[in-house]
Amino acid sequence: MLRFFLILLSFTGLFTGGILARANEMLDSTPVAIIIEDGKSPVSMADFYESGGDLPLSDQLSMTYIPDTYMFENYFDQRRQNLTSKIPKSKNQIEIFNDQSSRSWYLKASIPENHLTEVKSKASYKITSFGNVASGATTGHDFIIAKSEQENTWENTGFITQFFKDIRISFEDSRNKLKFGDSISGKISYDLYQVPKT
């Protein structure tokens, strides 16, 4: 209680004792240098082997932007349907945050369960190929849409933006069930992986 009383007197005296003046009117400064260094989220080889080759995500390796919608149009073709999305240039990009310049990473795009669904009939159509121009629309239901390119440089840190061209999907309509006005729905999922240091 005594300590509080003395502090209160000192605080009151600050405002009643007149105007404070800088000693000898001296003013100086110290320059500040800031160096941004790599983060401290090491890659664990134990986690790598336990995952069978796909490491769990680092806290500082994350997706920060993916396209919110893909719009596809297609004309009738007997049995085989080839779809190409038209993505506005302002949205044909992927953004990744990475805190380590030496970290290798890649982003894989996939179609869950490897099929699309007709909205009204709920009929399922199996994917025969999925990809983009860069990947060559390889057969299967996943492909690498973005990956680290400038490792051990500043380009591989912070927010990294990579652009891509139109997404392509092919599927079979073996019974020719599709009609004018039908709508196909589906989903493109993304998985971000870090590659172990060798």
Side-chain angles (χ1 to χ4, degrees):
M1 188 67 178
L2 176 62
R3 186 176 182 182
F4 175 79
F5 180 71
L6 291 176
I7 292 175
L8 181 60
L9 286 178
S10 177
F11 183 79
T12 304
L14 179 65
F15 292 94
T16 59
I19 300 175
L20 296 176
R22 186 181 295 116
N24 298 322
E25 297 296 328
M26 293 296 292
L27 178 63
D28 205 348
S29 62
T30 301
V32 175
I34 300 175
I35 299 176
I36 305 299
E37 298 183 349
D38 270 348
K40 297 181 179 180
S41 49
V43 173
S44 169
M45 292 304 294
D47 290 339
F48 171 72
Y49 289 120
E50 289 177 5
S51 67
D54 290 332
L55 284 169
L57 295 182
S58 162
D59 291 340
Q60 296 297 322
L61 178 64
S62 60
M63 287 180 285
T64 53
Y65 176 83
I66 57 174
D68 51 8
T69 304
Y70 290 100
M71 295 299 296
F72 292 87
E73 290 184 354
N74 189 46
Y75 296 98
F76 274 120
D77 188 3
Q78 188 174 10
R79 294 185 178 85
R80 185 175 181 85
Q81 307 297 322
N82 299 299
L83 312 178
T84 300
S85 68
K86 296 298 181 183
I87 307 172
K89 290 184 178 180
S90 61
K91 294 186 176 181
N92 65 337
Q93 63 190 49
I94 298 290
E95 187 180 77
I96 303 295
F97 180 82
N98 178 32
D99 73 328
Q100 286 193 19
S101 60
S102 61
R103 177 184 285 123
S104 297
W105 56 267
Y106 63 88
L107 182 68
K108 182 179 290 185
S110 63
I111 297 180
E113 300 181 10
N114 200 24
H115 78 274
L116 301 173
T117 303
E118 201 283 313
V119 175
K120 291 184 293 185
S121 68
K122 305 301 180 183
S124 178
Y125 296 92
K126 185 177 180 180
I127 301 299
T128 55
S129 69
F130 171 56
N132 64 358
V133 175
S135 71
T138 55
T139 300
H141 68 287
D142 60 28
F143 72 101
I144 294 176
I145 193 171
K147 62 181 180 179
S148 55
E149 295 178 346
Q150 302 291 332
E151 294 166 19
N152 296 309
T153 66
W154 64 267
E155 288 96 336
N156 193 37
T157 58
F159 292 98
I160 306 163
T161 300
Q162 292 192 7
F163 296 88
F164 60 91
K165 294 186 177 180
D166 295 333
I167 300 295
R168 297 177 177 179
I169 300 175
S170 296
F171 66 93
E172 295 285 349
D173 179 18
S174 58
R175 298 183 181 180
N176 293 317
K177 289 184 176 182
L178 292 175
K179 304 293 182 182
F180 168 76
D182 284 346
S183 295
I184 304 293
S185 67
K187 182 184 296 183
I188 295 177
S189 298
Y190 302 91
D191 293 294
L192 181 58
Y193 299 96
Q194 57 185 10
V195 182
K197 298 177 181 178
T198 56

